[in-house]
Amino acid sequence: MTIIKRTGEWLQIIVPDEWDGMTVDNLFREVWEAPKKLTHQFRSENKVLLEGDRVKWISPLVSGSKLLLHLFEDEASQIRPTYHDLDILFEDDHVLIINKPPFMNTHPNDPEKESDSLINAAAFYLLSKGESANVRQIHRLDRDTSGAILFAKHALAGAILDRMLEKREIKRTYIAALHGRLNKRKGTINMPIGRDRHHATRRRVSPSGQMAVTHFEALNEGKQKGFTFVKAWLETGRTHQIRVHFSHLGHPLVGDVLYGGEPIINRQALHAAKLEFIHPFTKEIIICHAPLLDLPDIFQAIDLNSI
């Protein structure tokens, strides 16, 4: 674990043994893989200090020394803060994980006209704590899907987490209730997904679509006759991916009328139950389970902590 401590607007990092001999340039470009523009900003604005002095970006670091990063300056809000009661699953100076309720957009489709999305609520939450920072969304969920969503609280954390998501180093595990019984208990669905030209919001399996890979494993079937409960985790993050893949196999999600599910409940039975990743600065393993905020009758047989 890397030893870090916030000091005002600065983050103090005790240089770990694995960074010994690296330069700050190596750190930004190779370890954190920060964008060139952000790296240039840290360098040109003297936002990195070593033992309290301006750092030389090409000089080797020594383990045990104190590296300071200017991470926590005030930012003008780019999103309209709007109050909404939130279920916070994890928070520190760098990341925020929220259990999104169903029937709420992750972000506004039109920021000028809409302000009732999760990111608006997250902005209000941080502002109410005296944190003038632009919260950065790392991934999203469909409006009617509930569960864990990861946000970054400053630009460097956002850049690192974006890269981790691209490299599939952030694992998102969902639970879903499907119509019918699967032919096999576990497997991988590797089918490209593209837009449905006959429907504005639908997606479909299409040879010309983008690569989409979903792994799944059946859970206990509970008391609901004709349902199969699965946990699923993604290698890609295509729009409606889980919904499209299982519908294509003939097992649409319960409640997902857009893809052939029966309207037994008022939304698709899909919940982002678990989020896990290595913290970008402390290197701790972060695991969050998101409790269900609705659908107790559908998912009552599922032990979320065992997912």
Side-chain angles (χ1 to χ4, degrees), residues 60-125:
L61 296 169
V62 178
S63 62
S65 57
K66 294 178 182 177
L67 190 69
L68 291 170
L69 303 177
H70 192 212
L71 298 180
F72 307 112
E73 59 189 321
D74 289 347
E75 297 178 299
S77 179
Q78 296 179 1
I79 195 80
R80 190 188 314 169
T82 306
Y83 173 76
H84 192 286
D85 191 26
L86 293 178
D87 181 17
I88 305 299
L89 302 177
F90 178 86
E91 180 183 9
D92 65 6
D93 291 323
H94 313 280
V95 300
L96 176 66
I97 303 174
I98 302 175
N99 188 11
K100 186 184 92 64
F103 316 115
M104 186 181 205
N105 288 329
T106 302
H107 56 81
N109 294 314
D110 185 343
E112 296 296 323
K113 297 179 180 179
E114 301 173 38
S115 61
D116 56 352
S117 75
L118 188 65
I119 199 168
N120 295 101
F124 186 97
Y125 169 75

Side-chain angles (χ1 to χ4, degrees), residues 169-193:
E169 294 173 354
I170 299 174
K171 185 176 181 181
R172 295 165 288 162
T173 304
Y174 298 76
I175 57 171
L178 314 178
H179 286 292
R181 304 186 71 172
L182 294 172
N183 292 329
K184 52 184 179 179
R185 183 170 180 79
K186 60 175 64 176
T188 296
I189 308 168
N190 187 346
M191 297 178 179
I193 291 175

Side-chain angles (χ1 to χ4, degrees), residues 12-82:
Q12 176 185 284
I13 303 176
I14 304 301
V15 175
D17 291 342
E18 58 265 31
W19 293 359
D20 190 76
M22 284 188 182
T23 66
V24 174
D25 190 68
N26 294 146
L27 191 59
F28 272 77
R29 296 181 186 276
E30 298 171 16
V31 176
W32 291 331
E33 298 181 46
K36 290 182 179 179
K37 183 178 180 180
L38 184 61
T39 300
H40 177 73
Q41 182 182 357
F42 271 85
R43 186 169 187 168
S44 62
E45 297 179 11
N46 299 325
K47 290 187 173 185
V48 185
L49 305 177
L50 186 63
E51 296 292 351
D53 297 321
R54 180 177 178 178
V55 71
K56 295 180 179 179
W57 279 61
I58 58 172
S59 296
L61 296 169
V62 178
S63 62
S65 57
K66 294 178 182 177
L67 190 69
L68 291 170
L69 303 177
H70 192 212
L71 298 180
F72 307 112
E73 59 189 321
D74 289 347
E75 297 178 299
S77 179
Q78 296 179 1
I79 195 80
R80 190 188 314 169
T82 306

